[in-house]
Amino acid sequence: MKSKQMPENMAEYPVDLAHPNRTLICGLFEETVDTAAGKRKFYTYIPENLENCSPCLVAAIPAVADLETYIDQSGLAAFADENRLFLFLAVSEGNQWKPDGSDAEYLNAVYVAVQARDYYVTMQDNIYLCGIEDGAYIAQQAAMQMSSEWSALISLGDIAGDIKLSERKSGAREQGDVELAVEARQSQLPVWMLISGETENNQKAIEYWKKQNGTTKEEFSGAGCDHIWMPDSVRKYNEINNEETSQVRVKIAETAFHIDYLRLAWEFAKRTRRHRSVAGKALRNYKDPIACGAEIHTMEVDGMMRTWYEYVPKSCTPDQKWPVVVVMHGRGGSAETFFDLSGMSVVAEERQFIAVFPQAGIHQQKKDGLKNILLWCGSYQDKPINDVTFIRAMLEDIEGRLPVDPERRYACGQSSGGMMSDLLGYTAGDLFAAVAPWSALRSPKRMFGSYEKGKLFTPTMFLYGDRDFLSAGTEPDAEFPFSLSTEVKEIVREKLEELDIAADDYLTWENAPIIWYTYCNRQGIPMVIVGKVSNMVHANYPEESWISYDQFLSRFKRGKDGTLYYGGKKVTFDK
């Protein structure tokens, strides 16, 4: 397979509006990444008709391998095709991998580089690491340097050198939208190793990961592996956010690479994904929408095929009406990934409501760049995409088939999805009784097209991280008790002015990690709530889904005549 250069102008590539989320290019491409020693090459393989926001695997191939020959002969390209994933191939310099830590840093730099949005959109923060033959040692080093970032490690070869952890430097490293953990800390990581025998270095690596993952002394075998160690007490520390799912699996066999070893390892590794969360990134078992019982639906709106998932708990029987929560992903995400990331389907199961996960329209974010980044209220060919029209059409379709209570419709979302949920509150209060944006509010500067304000005010709960690059302010605020970016602050002020509530007329309390600021109307009903999440970047975590529904959304109803109720009490808007 011959490699080629990335296109200079992605804007030349048309978008298939019947499949708006497909990658616009396919094949093998050469890319470069900046390292401490200078620029290094790596190679990107994109299967034909791959969807953006798919899983991705970074693989350190054998040092002496000729990449263009190896990708085909090894079966790696076919593996990526089978599993519908991005494949990133790291190559050595001088036909040898360097054990001094510089090549490990190169692999970690590739992690950062592949999350850019110039030519494709990977599944952000869910990147798997693989080392093949002598590349296994380098992959091990890279994972040890940055175990809080990778989703799993697949090590297919004997460990050639002594295992010594090269500590990461403190301080956040950012590139575009990539935010790495602020502290130089280590965390658990699922590990699948192929070794030829229990040599000293192999054993050191195994013992390192057993300790790192907090495994039990009890040993198992099966699933094609000779040794399996389980993490001690899954959910030992946290029931909602940080499922400690890391296992250490070891297979002993000839270590000459065969693609079947990677297939076996991938069946294990792909179960776990890494998500941004409070004070870092958490591992959680992947929730596939279809496997969890959701159904995928499509409809054409304004010439573009639109997609959403519906999750209807079995307890939501057709003999009565049930609430519906519309849950919207962030920029570059997808309905599938946010089903997993938000955890809202679990809330729906426990609280008995219908959860709907729509997929955004497209947008060209950078000049000459990718034309189909998924973004709410974006544009295509200089024409705004009206996603409010899509949401209205989607709800009309859903309510023609499912037992939805029209008085209990709610919306929430993160980042661009937070903007969208707040926009729905702003312009579609006739549909929604309350909204809960996360990490962002309505943004006239970032959302394309103009939207007329609705006649009805929609109660809003806004959650953001105190280290959120988009929403958090950098200095104490003289007007508000919390610090917000200028644009977000303007939207909060606008909401309070509409209700005639002063910026200093609030109730506050703290239940870690959130400090709450609540603005009530003259009846004492909370109409605007701001929750500042301590030590969190631009992200959200499953507990926010529970908080938003239990503490806010579910308490409101919107009557057919537009009357708003809180806990059964009519809300008045007298000033």
Side-chain angles (χ1 to χ4, degrees):
M1 184 184 301
K2 291 293 184 181
S3 64
K4 47 193 172 182
Q5 297 297 312
M6 284 292 184
E8 292 184 3
N9 187 353
M10 287 293 290
E12 295 176 352
Y13 290 78
V15 177
D16 180 359
L17 295 182
H19 304 280
N21 194 39
R22 277 185 179 170
T23 56
L24 304 184
I25 55 177
C26 61
L28 182 65
F29 298 89
E30 179 184 309
E31 297 198 69
T32 60
V33 62
D34 292 321
T35 71
K39 287 191 178 295
R40 291 278 300 269
K41 292 180 181 179
F42 71 97
Y43 293 82
T44 297
Y45 176 69
I46 305 175
E48 187 175 2
N49 294 329
L50 183 67
E51 293 282 308
N52 281 315
C53 205
S54 293
C56 40
L57 178 70
V58 175
I61 66 173
V64 297
D66 174 73
L67 179 130
E68 293 183 344
T69 303
Y70 187 80
I71 187 173
D72 282 325
Q73 292 185 351
S74 65
L76 285 173
F79 171 81
D81 293 341
E82 292 167 14
N83 290 279
R84 311 305 298 158
L85 52 82
F86 290 97
L87 179 63
F88 301 99
L89 300 168
V91 294
S92 68
E93 289 186 321
N95 290 331
Q96 63 178 358
W97 288 109
K98 297 184 289 292
D100 61 2
S102 61
D103 278 340
E105 185 63 27
Y106 157 58
L107 286 180
N108 288 329
V110 171
Y111 172 100
V112 176
V114 301
Q115 299 201 62
R117 289 174 162 88
D118 293 322
Y119 312 106
Y120 47 79
V121 179
T122 60
M123 185 179 293
Q124 194 169 30
D125 299 326
N126 286 284
I127 303 179
Y128 303 83
L129 177 60
C130 176
I132 300 173
E133 297 182 5
D134 54 346
Y137 180 36
I138 305 305
Q140 288 270 350
Q141 286 184 314
M144 291 175 182
Q145 287 181 6
M146 211 163 75
S147 63
S148 60
E149 306 294 330
W150 298 98
S151 292
L153 168 64
I154 299 172
S155 177
L156 303 174
D158 286 325
I159 308 306
D162 193 12
I163 293 297
K164 294 180 180 178
L165 178 60
S166 176
E167 293 289 348
R168 275 185 54 206
K169 296 179 180 179
S170 296
R173 293 183 356 187
E174 299 185 9
Q175 179 171 325
D177 303 301
V178 181
E179 298 182 64
L180 304 186
V182 169
E183 298 300 326
R185 68 183 182 88
Q186 303 300 306
S187 67
Q188 292 178 304
L189 184 69
V191 175
W192 198 101
M193 293 177 60
L194 171 70
I195 59 176
S196 65
E198 296 180 359
T199 66
E200 181 179 0
N201 287 330
N202 287 341
Q203 197 60 37
K204 282 184 177 180
I206 293 169
E207 292 303 317
Y208 174 88
W209 290 113
K210 285 170 62 179
K211 182 178 179 181
Q212 188 70 27
N213 290 352
T215 63
T216 64
K217 294 181 180 179
E218 189 174 10
E219 183 181 328
F220 303 90
S221 62
C225 292
D226 298 288
H227 307 283
I228 298 175
W229 291 273
M230 303 291 291
D232 184 19
S233 185
V234 174
R235 300 187 183 185
K236 183 176 181 180
Y237 300 106
N238 193 309
E239 284 294 324
I240 295 176
N241 177 56
N242 191 20
E243 293 180 317
E244 298 177 5
T245 59
S246 298
Q247 300 175 24
V248 177
R249 294 191 174 191
V250 177
K251 180 174 181 60
I252 300 176
E254 291 295 329
T255 55
F257 176 72
H258 190 282
I259 197 65
D260 285 345
Y261 291 137
L262 181 56
R263 290 191 178 100
L264 184 61
W266 181 246
E267 286 303 308
F268 162 69
K270 70 180 183 181
R271 302 174 190 172
T272 306
R273 295 192 176 178
R274 183 81 68 180
H275 291 303
R276 298 185 187 192
S277 186
V278 176
K281 296 174 186 174
L283 286 170
R284 293 200 294 272
N285 283 331
Y286 169 56
K287 289 182 174 64
D288 177 88
I290 301 302
C292 289
E295 291 186 355
I296 191 168
H297 291 263
T298 60
M299 70 185 309
E300 185 176 309
V301 179
D302 295 336
M304 182 185 298
M305 190 62 67
R306 306 307 300 265
T307 300
W308 69 91
Y309 288 94
E310 295 171 6
Y311 184 81
V312 184
K314 292 181 180 179
S315 59
C316 292
T317 53
D319 58 330
Q320 58 180 296
K321 302 291 187 179
W322 304 97
V324 63
V325 179
V326 180
V327 191
M328 287 163 285
H329 64 82
R331 175 180 55 120
S334 69
E336 176 189 345
T337 59
F338 209 57
F339 182 99
D340 176 37
L341 194 155
S342 69
M344 189 61 86
S345 64
V346 180
V347 186
E349 188 70 35
E350 294 292 335
R351 296 296 186 257
Q352 292 185 289
F353 62 81
I354 296 167
V356 180
F357 303 83
Q359 192 151 289
I362 59 176
H363 180 64
Q364 182 179 345
Q365 186 168 302
K366 300 177 182 178
K367 182 183 178 181
D368 300 330
L370 191 65
K371 294 174 69 174
N372 63 339
I373 289 177
L374 295 183
L375 180 80
W376 293 102
C377 296
S379 66
Y380 180 61
Q381 295 181 334
D382 298 322
K383 295 180 180 179
I385 297 170
N386 192 323
D387 280 326
V388 175
T389 297
F390 162 50
I391 296 299
R392 285 187 177 275
M394 179 191 73
L395 284 173
E396 182 178 355
D397 178 84
I398 291 170
E399 292 176 20
R401 297 180 286 101
L402 299 177
V404 172
D405 183 349
E407 296 187 349
R408 294 183 290 170
R409 303 187 193 101
Y410 312 106
C412 59
Q414 195 264 335
S415 191
S416 175
M419 294 181 191
M420 185 63 195
S421 61
D422 193 46
L423 177 64
L424 291 172
Y426 176 80
T427 193
D430 57 311
L431 286 182
F432 294 95
V435 296
W438 307 320
S439 306
L441 291 175
R442 179 176 61 89
S443 175
K445 296 178 182 178
R446 298 174 187 268
M447 306 182 84
F448 296 80
S450 58
Y451 296 90
E452 184 178 349
K453 187 180 185 307
K455 296 179 180 179
L456 302 174
F457 182 86
T458 306
T460 306
M461 171 187 276
F462 171 51
L463 288 166
Y464 76 102
D466 62 0
R467 295 194 289 116
D468 188 322
F469 77 92
L470 184 65
S471 295
T474 57
E475 301 291 339
D477 193 280
E479 181 181 5
F480 289 98
F482 39 81
S483 179
L484 296 172
S485 63
T486 301
E487 187 178 20
V488 174
K489 177 181 174 179
E490 288 175 358
I491 301 300
V492 173
R493 183 190 293 121
E494 176 186 289
K495 292 177 185 292
L496 296 182
E497 288 177 351
E498 183 176 351
L499 296 167
D500 196 26
I501 300 175
D504 60 357
D505 185 11
Y506 61 88
L507 302 173
T508 185
W509 69 96
E510 179 177 359
N511 57 332
I514 303 176
I515 302 174
W516 295 99
Y517 304 92
T518 298
Y519 292 90
C520 300
N521 69 0
R522 285 173 171 76
Q523 299 167 282
I525 294 173
M527 300 298 287
V528 176
I529 297 179
V530 176
K532 182 174 69 174
V533 187
S534 300
N535 198 28
M536 191 171 81
V537 296
H538 189 68
N540 73 296
Y541 57 109
E543 192 171 3
E544 291 186 343
S545 296
W546 291 92
I547 290 169
S548 297
Y549 189 78
D550 283 351
Q551 297 186 25
F552 191 72
L553 297 176
S554 63
R555 302 185 181 191
F556 289 93
K557 291 177 64 174
R558 177 83 75 185
K560 294 180 180 179
D561 62 354
T563 302
L564 188 67
Y565 297 88
Y566 178 80
K569 182 178 181 178
K570 181 179 178 179
V571 179
T572 62
F573 290 88
D574 299 327
K575 293 187 178 180

